[in-house]
Amino acid sequence: GAGVSQSPSNKVTEKGKDVELRCDPISGHTALYWYRQSLGQGLEFLIYFQGNSAPDKSGLPSDRFSAERTGGSVSTLTIQRTQQEDSAVYLCASSYGTPKVYEQYFGPGTRLTVT
Amino acid sequence: AQSVAQPEDQVNVAEGNPLTVKCTYSVSGNPYLFWYVQYPNRGLQFLLKYITGDNLVKGSYGFEAEFNKSQTSFHLKKPSALVSDSALYFCAVRGNSGNTPLVFGKGTRLSVIA
């Protein structure tokens, strides 16, 4: 079946520009997560959507980062005024229910390079 | 606050030998524990999880992990390593209170040498 998809797969942008990263979760999954993976840093939690509840934004590193999830499905992560330290692989995941029990299914990621 | 530690950045093992990738955790209450694997140029894949029940959990590709409450550990093991097991392995944990997503370790790179 279809897994989590992300677009674009690679994005190169100039410092100061805004970027939008897209995530299409698995159909029927109510929970959606964004992570950032930097070399040697593991996975850094960014934001979590669960159904119609207010998102958990506790992991967003600055107010330049925001995300929305429209219609409980597709999500967009927006980074405004990109900085070189934003360069990383941005991973999206979805799960059937709460992260307590259900495993997360990850997309292939978007590699962002800020020049 | 919950946290997870993977004390080894790199583990090297000869093909056919047993492998262990270590993970220790800190949570309030009972832990929910997961292992994920990331093969080169591919996304993270779920391997196994411990929620409750038997301390020894079996997962995909012949991997297993043992939950040890007294040592707060959840080490990943395989009796006989394959070259194809070479990948980046992540341990993840969350507690049973609140609604916080998983916390991931920094990952351990496993290299299996033929």
Side-chain angles (χ1 to χ4, degrees), chain B residues 55-88:
Chain B
N55 290 342
L56 184 64
V57 178
K58 295 187 182 296
S60 306
Y61 312 120
F63 283 92
E64 59 188 28
E66 185 167 12
F67 168 60
N68 187 316
K69 188 172 183 177
S70 63
Q71 298 185 3
T72 61
S73 68
F74 190 57
H75 301 331
L76 181 70
K77 300 182 179 184
K78 186 173 182 180
S80 179
L82 300 173
V83 172
S84 57
D85 292 330
S86 298
L88 188 58

PDB file of all heavy atoms in Angstrom, chain B residues 55-88:
ATOM      1  N   ASN B  55       9.147  -9.635  28.402  1.00  0.00           N
ATOM      2  CA  ASN B  55      10.275  -8.708  28.311  1.00  0.00           C
ATOM      3  C   ASN B  55      11.062  -8.883  27.026  1.00  0.00           C
ATOM      4  O   ASN B  55      11.726  -7.952  26.569  1.00  0.00           O
ATOM      5  CB  ASN B  55      11.200  -8.880  29.516  1.00  0.00           C
ATOM      6  CG  ASN B  55      10.560  -8.390  30.794  1.00  0.00           C
ATOM      7  OD1 ASN B  55       9.586  -7.637  30.771  1.00  0.00           O
ATOM      8  ND2 ASN B  55      11.104  -8.820  31.917  1.00  0.00           N
ATOM      9  N   LEU B  56      11.032 -10.060  26.433  1.00  0.00           N
ATOM     10  CA  LEU B  56      11.743 -10.306  25.182  1.00  0.00           C
ATOM     11  C   LEU B  56      10.780 -10.105  24.024  1.00  0.00           C
ATOM     12  O   LEU B  56       9.770 -10.785  23.905  1.00  0.00           O
ATOM     13  CB  LEU B  56      12.315 -11.722  25.170  1.00  0.00           C
ATOM     14  CG  LEU B  56      13.177 -12.067  23.950  1.00  0.00           C
ATOM     15  CD1 LEU B  56      14.433 -11.187  23.924  1.00  0.00           C
ATOM     16  CD2 LEU B  56      13.548 -13.539  23.946  1.00  0.00           C
ATOM     17  N   VAL B  57      11.126  -9.147  23.183  1.00  0.00           N
ATOM     18  CA  VAL B  57      10.267  -8.786  22.060  1.00  0.00           C
ATOM     19  C   VAL B  57      10.967  -9.188  20.768  1.00  0.00           C
ATOM     20  O   VAL B  57      12.144  -8.887  20.573  1.00  0.00           O
ATOM     21  CB  VAL B  57       9.995  -7.276  22.057  1.00  0.00           C
ATOM     22  CG1 VAL B  57       9.135  -6.901  20.860  1.00  0.00           C
ATOM     23  CG2 VAL B  57       9.336  -6.845  23.349  1.00  0.00           C
ATOM     24  N   LYS B  58      10.233  -9.851  19.896  1.00  0.00           N
ATOM     25  CA  LYS B  58      10.803 -10.229  18.597  1.00  0.00           C
ATOM     26  C   LYS B  58      10.240  -9.325  17.518  1.00  0.00           C
ATOM     27  O   LYS B  58       9.052  -8.968  17.545  1.00  0.00           O
ATOM     28  CB  LYS B  58      10.491 -11.691  18.297  1.00  0.00           C
ATOM     29  CG  LYS B  58      11.169 -12.663  19.272  1.00  0.00           C
ATOM     30  CD  LYS B  58      10.973 -14.103  18.857  1.00  0.00           C
ATOM     31  CE  LYS B  58      11.607 -15.052  19.867  1.00  0.00           C
ATOM     32  NZ  LYS B  58      13.081 -14.881  19.919  1.00  0.00           N
ATOM     33  N   GLY B  59      11.098  -8.970  16.568  1.00  0.00           N
ATOM     34  CA  GLY B  59      10.669  -8.060  15.525  1.00  0.00           C
ATOM     35  C   GLY B  59      11.074  -8.522  14.141  1.00  0.00           C
ATOM     36  O   GLY B  59      11.325  -9.698  13.907  1.00  0.00           O
ATOM     37  N   SER B  60      11.169  -7.549  13.247  1.00  0.00           N
ATOM     38  CA  SER B  60      11.475  -7.834  11.847  1.00  0.00           C
ATOM     39  C   SER B  60      12.926  -8.243  11.665  1.00  0.00           C
ATOM     40  O   SER B  60      13.793  -7.891  12.473  1.00  0.00           O
ATOM     41  CB  SER B  60      11.191  -6.589  10.999  1.00  0.00           C
ATOM     42  OG  SER B  60       9.889  -6.109  11.188  1.00  0.00           O
ATOM     43  N   TYR B  61      13.194  -8.968  10.567  1.00  0.00           N
ATOM     44  CA  TYR B  61      14.539  -9.311  10.120  1.00  0.00           C
ATOM     45  C   TYR B  61      15.347 -10.101  11.151  1.00  0.00           C
ATOM     46  O   TYR B  61      16.569 -10.057  11.136  1.00  0.00           O
ATOM     47  CB  TYR B  61      15.319  -8.054   9.712  1.00  0.00           C
ATOM     48  CG  TYR B  61      14.553  -7.122   8.795  1.00  0.00           C
ATOM     49  CD1 TYR B  61      14.280  -5.810   9.176  1.00  0.00           C
ATOM     50  CD2 TYR B  61      14.080  -7.556   7.559  1.00  0.00           C
ATOM     51  CE1 TYR B  61      13.576  -4.960   8.353  1.00  0.00           C
ATOM     52  CE2 TYR B  61      13.366  -6.709   6.734  1.00  0.00           C
ATOM     53  CZ  TYR B  61      13.114  -5.413   7.136  1.00  0.00           C
ATOM     54  OH  TYR B  61      12.405  -4.561   6.316  1.00  0.00           O
ATOM     55  N   GLY B  62      14.670 -10.806  12.066  1.00  0.00           N
ATOM     56  CA  GLY B  62      15.368 -11.630  13.036  1.00  0.00           C
ATOM     57  C   GLY B  62      15.872 -10.890  14.260  1.00  0.00           C
ATOM     58  O   GLY B  62      16.575 -11.464  15.102  1.00  0.00           O
ATOM     59  N   PHE B  63      15.545  -9.609  14.367  1.00  0.00           N
ATOM     60  CA  PHE B  63      15.966  -8.832  15.523  1.00  0.00           C
ATOM     61  C   PHE B  63      15.053  -9.085  16.716  1.00  0.00           C
ATOM     62  O   PHE B  63      13.880  -9.414  16.568  1.00  0.00           O
ATOM     63  CB  PHE B  63      15.957  -7.333  15.200  1.00  0.00           C
ATOM     64  CG  PHE B  63      17.132  -6.888  14.378  1.00  0.00           C
ATOM     65  CD1 PHE B  63      17.045  -6.863  12.989  1.00  0.00           C
ATOM     66  CD2 PHE B  63      18.316  -6.513  14.977  1.00  0.00           C
ATOM     67  CE1 PHE B  63      18.129  -6.469  12.223  1.00  0.00           C
ATOM     68  CE2 PHE B  63      19.405  -6.109  14.223  1.00  0.00           C
ATOM     69  CZ  PHE B  63      19.305  -6.093  12.844  1.00  0.00           C
ATOM     70  N   GLU B  64      15.613  -8.897  17.896  1.00  0.00           N
ATOM     71  CA  GLU B  64      14.853  -8.969  19.139  1.00  0.00           C
ATOM     72  C   GLU B  64      15.432  -7.963  20.113  1.00  0.00           C
ATOM     73  O   GLU B  64      16.556  -7.476  19.940  1.00  0.00           O
ATOM     74  CB  GLU B  64      14.884 -10.374  19.725  1.00  0.00           C
ATOM     75  CG  GLU B  64      16.269 -10.899  20.031  1.00  0.00           C
ATOM     76  CD  GLU B  64      16.259 -12.366  20.437  1.00  0.00           C
ATOM     77  OE1 GLU B  64      15.358 -13.113  20.006  1.00  0.00           O
ATOM     78  OE2 GLU B  64      17.164 -12.759  21.187  1.00  0.00           O
ATOM     79  N   ALA B  65      14.652  -7.628  21.123  1.00  0.00           N
ATOM     80  CA  ALA B  65      15.126  -6.696  22.141  1.00  0.00           C
ATOM     81  C   ALA B  65      14.570  -7.138  23.480  1.00  0.00           C
ATOM     82  O   ALA B  65      13.464  -7.673  23.570  1.00  0.00           O
ATOM     83  CB  ALA B  65      14.688  -5.269  21.826  1.00  0.00           C
ATOM     84  N   GLU B  66      15.366  -6.896  24.514  1.00  0.00           N
ATOM     85  CA  GLU B  66      14.966  -7.299  25.852  1.00  0.00           C
ATOM     86  C   GLU B  66      14.762  -6.087  26.741  1.00  0.00           C
ATOM     87  O   GLU B  66      15.680  -5.273  26.924  1.00  0.00           O
ATOM     88  CB  GLU B  66      16.000  -8.225  26.479  1.00  0.00           C
ATOM     89  CG  GLU B  66      15.551  -8.781  27.842  1.00  0.00           C
ATOM     90  CD  GLU B  66      16.417  -9.920  28.321  1.00  0.00           C
ATOM     91  OE1 GLU B  66      17.493 -10.138  27.738  1.00  0.00           O
ATOM     92  OE2 GLU B  66      16.009 -10.586  29.294  1.00  0.00           O
ATOM     93  N   PHE B  67      13.564  -5.977  27.275  1.00  0.00           N
ATOM     94  CA  PHE B  67      13.235  -4.901  28.201  1.00  0.00           C
ATOM     95  C   PHE B  67      13.725  -5.291  29.590  1.00  0.00           C
ATOM     96  O   PHE B  67      13.367  -6.360  30.101  1.00  0.00           O
ATOM     97  CB  PHE B  67      11.732  -4.670  28.215  1.00  0.00           C
ATOM     98  CG  PHE B  67      11.252  -3.784  29.332  1.00  0.00           C
ATOM     99  CD1 PHE B  67      11.713  -2.484  29.443  1.00  0.00           C
ATOM    100  CD2 PHE B  67      10.333  -4.243  30.259  1.00  0.00           C
ATOM    101  CE1 PHE B  67      11.272  -1.654  30.459  1.00  0.00           C
ATOM    102  CE2 PHE B  67       9.879  -3.421  31.280  1.00  0.00           C
ATOM    103  CZ  PHE B  67      10.347  -2.125  31.384  1.00  0.00           C
ATOM    104  N   ASN B  68      14.550  -4.455  30.187  1.00  0.00           N
ATOM    105  CA  ASN B  68      15.064  -4.709  31.522  1.00  0.00           C
ATOM    106  C   ASN B  68      14.728  -3.498  32.387  1.00  0.00           C
ATOM    107  O   ASN B  68      15.374  -2.441  32.291  1.00  0.00           O
ATOM    108  CB  ASN B  68      16.578  -4.939  31.483  1.00  0.00           C
ATOM    109  CG  ASN B  68      17.126  -5.382  32.824  1.00  0.00           C
ATOM    110  OD1 ASN B  68      16.761  -4.835  33.866  1.00  0.00           O
ATOM    111  ND2 ASN B  68      17.994  -6.383  32.816  1.00  0.00           N
ATOM    112  N   LYS B  69      13.705  -3.664  33.219  1.00  0.00           N
ATOM    113  CA  LYS B  69      13.203  -2.522  33.985  1.00  0.00           C
ATOM    114  C   LYS B  69      14.208  -2.050  35.026  1.00  0.00           C
ATOM    115  O   LYS B  69      14.399  -0.845  35.230  1.00  0.00           O
ATOM    116  CB  LYS B  69      11.883  -2.890  34.674  1.00  0.00           C
ATOM    117  CG  LYS B  69      11.191  -1.726  35.339  1.00  0.00           C
ATOM    118  CD  LYS B  69       9.812  -2.117  35.837  1.00  0.00           C
ATOM    119  CE  LYS B  69       9.098  -0.913  36.438  1.00  0.00           C
ATOM    120  NZ  LYS B  69       7.720  -1.250  36.879  1.00  0.00           N
ATOM    121  N   SER B  70      14.891  -2.994  35.677  1.00  0.00           N
ATOM    122  CA  SER B  70      15.824  -2.608  36.739  1.00  0.00           C
ATOM    123  C   SER B  70      17.020  -1.843  36.186  1.00  0.00           C
ATOM    124  O   SER B  70      17.561  -0.957  36.847  1.00  0.00           O
ATOM    125  CB  SER B  70      16.290  -3.844  37.505  1.00  0.00           C
ATOM    126  OG  SER B  70      17.001  -4.717  36.646  1.00  0.00           O
ATOM    127  N   GLN B  71      17.433  -2.179  34.973  1.00  0.00           N
ATOM    128  CA  GLN B  71      18.557  -1.484  34.357  1.00  0.00           C
ATOM    129  C   GLN B  71      18.102  -0.386  33.396  1.00  0.00           C
ATOM    130  O   GLN B  71      18.946   0.253  32.763  1.00  0.00           O
ATOM    131  CB  GLN B  71      19.449  -2.493  33.620  1.00  0.00           C
ATOM    132  CG  GLN B  71      20.072  -3.530  34.530  1.00  0.00           C
ATOM    133  CD  GLN B  71      21.048  -4.441  33.812  1.00  0.00           C
ATOM    134  OE1 GLN B  71      21.317  -4.284  32.633  1.00  0.00           O
ATOM    135  NE2 GLN B  71      21.589  -5.415  34.543  1.00  0.00           N
ATOM    136  N   THR B  72      16.813  -0.177  33.299  1.00  0.00           N
ATOM    137  CA  THR B  72      16.216   0.795  32.359  1.00  0.00           C
ATOM    138  C   THR B  72      16.878   0.696  30.985  1.00  0.00           C
ATOM    139  O   THR B  72      17.351   1.690  30.418  1.00  0.00           O
ATOM    140  CB  THR B  72      16.293   2.244  32.885  1.00  0.00           C
ATOM    141  OG1 THR B  72      17.661   2.631  33.069  1.00  0.00           O
ATOM    142  CG2 THR B  72      15.542   2.373  34.183  1.00  0.00           C
ATOM    143  N   SER B  73      16.911  -0.530  30.466  1.00  0.00           N
ATOM    144  CA  SER B  73      17.542  -0.750  29.165  1.00  0.00           C
ATOM    145  C   SER B  73      16.609  -1.484  28.221  1.00  0.00           C
ATOM    146  O   SER B  73      15.655  -2.154  28.643  1.00  0.00           O
ATOM    147  CB  SER B  73      18.840  -1.549  29.336  1.00  0.00           C
ATOM    148  OG  SER B  73      18.567  -2.865  29.763  1.00  0.00           O
ATOM    149  N   PHE B  74      16.917  -1.348  26.956  1.00  0.00           N
ATOM    150  CA  PHE B  74      16.135  -2.012  25.893  1.00  0.00           C
ATOM    151  C   PHE B  74      17.100  -2.273  24.739  1.00  0.00           C
ATOM    152  O   PHE B  74      16.983  -1.715  23.665  1.00  0.00           O
ATOM    153  CB  PHE B  74      14.960  -1.129  25.475  1.00  0.00           C
ATOM    154  CG  PHE B  74      13.956  -1.797  24.568  1.00  0.00           C
ATOM    155  CD1 PHE B  74      13.310  -2.963  24.950  1.00  0.00           C
ATOM    156  CD2 PHE B  74      13.631  -1.243  23.338  1.00  0.00           C
ATOM    157  CE1 PHE B  74      12.376  -3.573  24.126  1.00  0.00           C
ATOM    158  CE2 PHE B  74      12.693  -1.839  22.503  1.00  0.00           C
ATOM    159  CZ  PHE B  74      12.063  -3.004  22.902  1.00  0.00           C
ATOM    160  N   HIS B  75      18.059  -3.155  24.981  1.00  0.00           N
ATOM    161  CA  HIS B  75      19.102  -3.426  23.994  1.00  0.00           C
ATOM    162  C   HIS B  75      18.567  -4.257  22.829  1.00  0.00           C
ATOM    163  O   HIS B  75      17.814  -5.215  23.028  1.00  0.00           O
ATOM    164  CB  HIS B  75      20.271  -4.170  24.642  1.00  0.00           C
ATOM    165  CG  HIS B  75      20.910  -3.417  25.775  1.00  0.00           C
ATOM    166  ND1 HIS B  75      20.931  -2.049  25.859  1.00  0.00           N
ATOM    167  CD2 HIS B  75      21.555  -3.870  26.876  1.00  0.00           C
ATOM    168  CE1 HIS B  75      21.562  -1.666  26.951  1.00  0.00           C
ATOM    169  NE2 HIS B  75      21.960  -2.754  27.589  1.00  0.00           N
ATOM    170  N   LEU B  76      19.003  -3.903  21.640  1.00  0.00           N
ATOM    171  CA  LEU B  76      18.622  -4.613  20.415  1.00  0.00           C
ATOM    172  C   LEU B  76      19.653  -5.709  20.155  1.00  0.00           C
ATOM    173  O   LEU B  76      20.862  -5.461  20.260  1.00  0.00           O
ATOM    174  CB  LEU B  76      18.584  -3.634  19.238  1.00  0.00           C
ATOM    175  CG  LEU B  76      18.174  -4.197  17.891  1.00  0.00           C
ATOM    176  CD1 LEU B  76      16.690  -4.569  17.886  1.00  0.00           C
ATOM    177  CD2 LEU B  76      18.464  -3.184  16.792  1.00  0.00           C
ATOM    178  N   LYS B  77      19.166  -6.898  19.784  1.00  0.00           N
ATOM    179  CA  LYS B  77      20.074  -8.017  19.579  1.00  0.00           C
ATOM    180  C   LYS B  77      19.678  -8.818  18.345  1.00  0.00           C
ATOM    181  O   LYS B  77      18.532  -8.798  17.914  1.00  0.00           O
ATOM    182  CB  LYS B  77      20.068  -8.937  20.809  1.00  0.00           C
ATOM    183  CG  LYS B  77      20.504  -8.252  22.087  1.00  0.00           C
ATOM    184  CD  LYS B  77      20.524  -9.214  23.261  1.00  0.00           C
ATOM    185  CE  LYS B  77      20.993  -8.497  24.522  1.00  0.00           C
ATOM    186  NZ  LYS B  77      21.119  -9.415  25.685  1.00  0.00           N
ATOM    187  N   LYS B  78      20.691  -9.519  17.821  1.00  0.00           N
ATOM    188  CA  LYS B  78      20.451 -10.479  16.749  1.00  0.00           C
ATOM    189  C   LYS B  78      21.491 -11.583  16.893  1.00  0.00           C
ATOM    190  O   LYS B  78      22.678 -11.290  17.059  1.00  0.00           O
ATOM    191  CB  LYS B  78      20.528  -9.804  15.386  1.00  0.00           C
ATOM    192  CG  LYS B  78      20.135 -10.723  14.233  1.00  0.00           C
ATOM    193  CD  LYS B  78      20.067  -9.951  12.918  1.00  0.00           C
ATOM    194  CE  LYS B  78      19.615 -10.887  11.802  1.00  0.00           C
ATOM    195  NZ  LYS B  78      19.527 -10.205  10.488  1.00  0.00           N
ATOM    196  N   PRO B  79      21.091 -12.836  16.818  1.00  0.00           N
ATOM    197  CA  PRO B  79      22.039 -13.928  17.077  1.00  0.00           C
ATOM    198  C   PRO B  79      23.152 -14.032  16.044  1.00  0.00           C
ATOM    199  O   PRO B  79      24.275 -14.415  16.390  1.00  0.00           O
ATOM    200  CB  PRO B  79      21.149 -15.176  17.056  1.00  0.00           C
ATOM    201  CG  PRO B  79      19.765 -14.689  17.265  1.00  0.00           C
ATOM    202  CD  PRO B  79      19.717 -13.321  16.664  1.00  0.00           C
ATOM    203  N   SER B  80      22.857 -13.716  14.790  1.00  0.00           N
ATOM    204  CA  SER B  80      23.837 -13.877  13.724  1.00  0.00           C
ATOM    205  C   SER B  80      23.702 -12.712  12.742  1.00  0.00           C
ATOM    206  O   SER B  80      22.713 -12.626  12.016  1.00  0.00           O
ATOM    207  CB  SER B  80      23.613 -15.215  13.009  1.00  0.00           C
ATOM    208  OG  SER B  80      24.542 -15.382  11.960  1.00  0.00           O
ATOM    209  N   ALA B  81      24.680 -11.847  12.731  1.00  0.00           N
ATOM    210  CA  ALA B  81      24.595 -10.623  11.917  1.00  0.00           C
ATOM    211  C   ALA B  81      24.829 -10.913  10.437  1.00  0.00           C
ATOM    212  O   ALA B  81      25.620 -11.802  10.062  1.00  0.00           O
ATOM    213  CB  ALA B  81      25.628  -9.609  12.410  1.00  0.00           C
ATOM    214  N   LEU B  82      24.130 -10.135   9.611  1.00  0.00           N
ATOM    215  CA  LEU B  82      24.304 -10.180   8.159  1.00  0.00           C
ATOM    216  C   LEU B  82      24.881  -8.844   7.679  1.00  0.00           C
ATOM    217  O   LEU B  82      24.613  -7.796   8.286  1.00  0.00           O
ATOM    218  CB  LEU B  82      22.958 -10.408   7.467  1.00  0.00           C
ATOM    219  CG  LEU B  82      22.199 -11.686   7.816  1.00  0.00           C
ATOM    220  CD1 LEU B  82      20.824 -11.661   7.178  1.00  0.00           C
ATOM    221  CD2 LEU B  82      22.984 -12.917   7.369  1.00  0.00           C
ATOM    222  N   VAL B  83      25.611  -8.899   6.570  1.00  0.00           N
ATOM    223  CA  VAL B  83      26.141  -7.656   6.003  1.00  0.00           C
ATOM    224  C   VAL B  83      25.004  -6.683   5.719  1.00  0.00           C
ATOM    225  O   VAL B  83      25.135  -5.470   5.898  1.00  0.00           O
ATOM    226  CB  VAL B  83      26.964  -7.948   4.735  1.00  0.00           C
ATOM    227  CG1 VAL B  83      27.352  -6.657   4.029  1.00  0.00           C
ATOM    228  CG2 VAL B  83      28.211  -8.771   5.077  1.00  0.00           C
ATOM    229  N   SER B  84      23.862  -7.216   5.306  1.00  0.00           N
ATOM    230  CA  SER B  84      22.703  -6.382   4.976  1.00  0.00           C
ATOM    231  C   SER B  84      22.077  -5.707   6.198  1.00  0.00           C
ATOM    232  O   SER B  84      21.201  -4.842   6.050  1.00  0.00           O
ATOM    233  CB  SER B  84      21.636  -7.204   4.256  1.00  0.00           C
ATOM    234  OG  SER B  84      21.243  -8.307   5.048  1.00  0.00           O
ATOM    235  N   ASP B  85      22.510  -6.082   7.397  1.00  0.00           N
ATOM    236  CA  ASP B  85      22.027  -5.408   8.612  1.00  0.00           C
ATOM    237  C   ASP B  85      22.727  -4.068   8.830  1.00  0.00           C
ATOM    238  O   ASP B  85      22.326  -3.306   9.719  1.00  0.00           O
ATOM    239  CB  ASP B  85      22.253  -6.295   9.842  1.00  0.00           C
ATOM    240  CG  ASP B  85      21.403  -7.542   9.852  1.00  0.00           C
ATOM    241  OD1 ASP B  85      20.285  -7.498   9.289  1.00  0.00           O
ATOM    242  OD2 ASP B  85      21.862  -8.566  10.399  1.00  0.00           O
ATOM    243  N   SER B  86      23.754  -3.794   8.069  1.00  0.00           N
ATOM    244  CA  SER B  86      24.484  -2.535   8.215  1.00  0.00           C
ATOM    245  C   SER B  86      23.546  -1.359   7.953  1.00  0.00           C
ATOM    246  O   SER B  86      22.965  -1.241   6.869  1.00  0.00           O
ATOM    247  CB  SER B  86      25.666  -2.493   7.241  1.00  0.00           C
ATOM    248  OG  SER B  86      26.577  -3.532   7.515  1.00  0.00           O
ATOM    249  N   ALA B  87      23.384  -0.517   8.954  1.00  0.00           N
ATOM    250  CA  ALA B  87      22.419   0.585   8.884  1.00  0.00           C
ATOM    251  C   ALA B  87      22.567   1.427  10.139  1.00  0.00           C
ATOM    252  O   ALA B  87      23.397   1.167  11.010  1.00  0.00           O
ATOM    253  CB  ALA B  87      20.997   0.044   8.778  1.00  0.00           C
ATOM    254  N   LEU B  88      21.699   2.444  10.223  1.00  0.00           N
ATOM    255  CA  LEU B  88      21.638   3.323  11.395  1.00  0.00           C
ATOM    256  C   LEU B  88      20.420   2.921  12.220  1.00  0.00           C
ATOM    257  O   LEU B  88      19.312   2.843  11.680  1.00  0.00           O
ATOM    258  CB  LEU B  88      21.537   4.775  10.925  1.00  0.00           C
ATOM    259  CG  LEU B  88      21.643   5.900  11.946  1.00  0.00           C
ATOM    260  CD1 LEU B  88      22.958   5.821  12.709  1.00  0.00           C
ATOM    261  CD2 LEU B  88      21.525   7.242  11.235  1.00  0.00           C
TER     262      LEU B  88
END
